[in-house]
Amino acid sequence: MQIILNSPLDMHVHLRDNDMLKVVAPLTSKTFAWALVMPNLVPPIKTLEDVVSYKKRVLDETWNDIFTPYMTVFFSEELTFEILKQLKSEILSVKLYPEWVTTNSQGWAKNILSPRNLEIFANMETLWIPLSIHWETSDFVLDREKNFISIYEELATRFPKLKIIAEHITTKELAETLDKFENLYATITVHHLLITLNDLAWWMLKPHLFCKPIAKRDEDREALLKLALSWNSKVMLWTDSAPHPIHKKECSGCAAWVFTSPIALQLLTELFEENNSLNNLQKFISDNAVRIYNLKPNQKQIILEKKDFIIPEKYWEVVPFKAWENLKWSIIN
Ligand code: DOR
Ligand code: ZN
């Protein structure tokens, strides 16, 4: 039995730089036709020059005859109207990280609704540049995502034409908010469809499942799964695959995130099949994003066959999600 997926799109991936880029960029570009590349490097991708040169480094490491990287720029107070205008043709969205919520977000957007930030959002709205947000406050860890909803309501009311994408949503509350606002979209990661906080901290801590936002309760996972499996047109896949070398995960002060990009499509096919929803997979992994971001499809077919695939123990120094486990579907091209 085979399944063909057309132009899979990973709408949020961390490709890093240097040695890590050399390892993970080929993996993403083999499996996906396009990807939206995150800017949280050290230092972050903040200017037009940063974007152009990072894109070149990404292209140098990818199978670029069949892969398009779309770029993002790090939200900062320096984004004037002129700079945004120049950036528009080089980026797909501006990525906002509230301060202290995740990897390399130290010292960034402190007060999201500050007068300067509101000016920038207004300029983005005028220029039709979408805003991608790491959707967390810095409150108690389990409440961070739902406490961000009130900030969103303020943004949505002030900027009704600004497309806002809530990244890697993890709660029932946010899943339920999506349909209340026309300009609110969301992405869901593969691992948040599969794990809860119990998987991460049942009796021993599993560092390779630690990510931000942290996986929540089973009822939250169920709500996300319902969205992904349905015909909901507001959700897109993003792996948010974010590699960290093993010594940064298996240590005190474990870095946040899960590495999934080389196994995401296989896992999703299995999950959609188990839930009798294979017909909706194409929409989740590509079609919704094409419409939301107005993209011109670059044709690439990925063929999956029902045949066992054992997830490797490591990709270079990176331990993937579900290392050593057996998947029911393999990519054969
Ligand atoms: O856990 C996370 N790690 N969440 C993010 O949003 C960023 C990522 C990273 O870059 O490591
Ligand atoms: Zn991310």
Side-chain angles (χ1 to χ4, degrees):
M1 184 179 171
Q2 287 193 347
I3 294 219
I4 296 179
L5 296 177
N6 290 311
S7 302
L9 235 170
D10 182 349
M11 288 314 289
H12 177 140
V13 68
H14 298 265
L15 296 179
R16 313 297 195 208
D17 216 340
N18 306 317
D19 290 346
M20 189 61 93
L21 175 69
K22 285 187 196 315
V23 176
V24 301
L27 295 171
T28 286
S29 61
K30 247 186 143 162
T31 317
F32 290 92
W34 322 317
L36 185 59
V37 184
M38 291 296 122
N40 61 332
L41 306 188
V42 185
I45 303 300
K46 281 175 68 186
T47 63
L48 179 63
E49 292 70 36
D50 293 343
V51 171
V52 171
S53 104
Y54 186 37
K55 184 171 180 180
K56 181 173 180 321
R57 300 201 294 286
V58 169
L59 282 169
D60 285 346
E61 302 302 338
T62 48
W63 306 76
N64 53 43
D65 50 332
I66 42 167
F67 175 75
T68 308
Y70 292 109
M71 307 310 284
T72 54
V73 73
F74 208 98
F75 183 91
S76 77
E77 292 192 349
E78 287 120 68
L79 292 176
T80 59
F81 187 81
E82 268 320 301
I83 294 179
L84 283 167
K85 218 164 119 188
Q86 289 165 8
L87 277 164
K88 189 174 156 63
S89 59
E90 293 293 334
I91 58 167
L92 216 53
S93 78
V94 173
K95 172 71 188 280
L96 186 150
Y97 289 91
E99 192 180 25
W100 289 115
V101 291
T102 188
T103 308
N104 305 333
S105 63
Q106 304 84 316
W108 298 104
K110 286 188 184 28
N111 170 11
I112 293 178
L113 299 173
S114 72
R116 174 68 192 128
N117 290 351
L118 294 179
E119 247 174 72
I120 300 173
F121 300 141
N123 288 338
M124 288 171 59
E125 185 184 40
T126 308
L127 291 164
W128 295 98
I129 300 177
L131 173 66
S132 301
I133 304 189
H134 182 113
W135 197 274
E136 289 191 289
T137 60
S138 42
D139 302 327
F140 175 65
V141 169
L142 289 179
D143 295 336
R144 288 177 173 193
E145 184 173 293
K146 66 172 188 254
N147 288 357
F148 205 99
I149 293 175
S150 62
I151 302 180
Y152 173 72
E153 283 169 355
E154 173 86 31
L155 287 177
T157 317
R158 283 174 185 257
F159 309 109
K161 297 207 170 69
L162 179 66
K163 277 190 182 173
I164 300 182
I165 295 117
E167 301 194 40
H168 37 54
I169 66 172
T170 58
T171 56
K172 185 160 81 54
E173 286 83 356
L174 191 41
E176 285 163 2
T177 306
L178 271 186
D179 281 336
K180 294 192 193 147
F181 296 93
E182 221 176 287
N183 61 341
L184 178 58
Y185 303 87
T187 53
I188 305 179
T189 74
V190 184
H191 57 283
H192 285 122
L193 294 173
L194 293 165
I195 62 167
T196 68
L197 189 50
N198 270 0
D199 296 290
L200 162 67
W202 181 244
W203 67 287
M204 278 188 188
L205 192 70
K206 304 256 182 69
H208 298 288
L209 299 185
F210 172 61
C211 63
K212 291 303 187 82
I214 206 157
K216 309 280 185 326
R217 298 177 174 79
D218 206 42
E219 69 212 54
D220 294 305
R221 193 191 57 79
E222 288 283 344
L224 302 180
L225 190 58
K226 203 167 134 207
L227 271 184
L229 297 173
S230 69
W231 284 99
N232 193 303
S233 54
K234 292 203 140 190
V235 289
M236 317 168 250
L237 161 72
W238 49 18
T239 64
D240 201 358
S241 186
H244 289 282
I246 195 162
H247 67 273
K248 292 249 172 104
K249 293 292 277 175
E250 298 180 6
C251 60
S252 92
C254 161
W257 215 245
V258 172
F259 182 60
T260 52
S261 70
I263 51 164
L265 295 178
Q266 301 89 316
L267 273 170
L268 282 171
T269 307
E270 189 169 324
L271 183 67
F272 274 63
E273 185 191 28
E274 274 166 18
N275 287 281
N276 295 320
S277 301
L278 274 177
N279 287 347
N280 292 353
L281 183 57
Q282 177 63 36
K283 226 179 156 202
F284 183 56
I285 57 108
S286 186
D287 299 358
N288 281 351
V290 168
R291 195 179 22 75
I292 293 167
Y293 278 100
N294 252 332
L295 302 172
K296 304 249 169 341
N298 147 10
Q299 290 311 314
K300 171 168 170 177
Q301 290 196 327
I302 294 292
I303 307 172
L304 290 114
E305 193 167 283
K306 193 131 194 209
K307 128 172 145 189
D308 285 358
F309 171 70
I310 300 179
I311 301 178
E313 177 195 6
K314 273 193 228 168
Y315 290 88
W316 184 55
E317 290 185 13
V318 185
V319 177
F321 184 54
K322 292 185 173 282
W324 281 122
E325 285 188 32
N326 201 1
L327 297 181
K328 295 194 183 115
W329 290 84
S330 302
I331 294 179
I332 59 160
N333 64 334

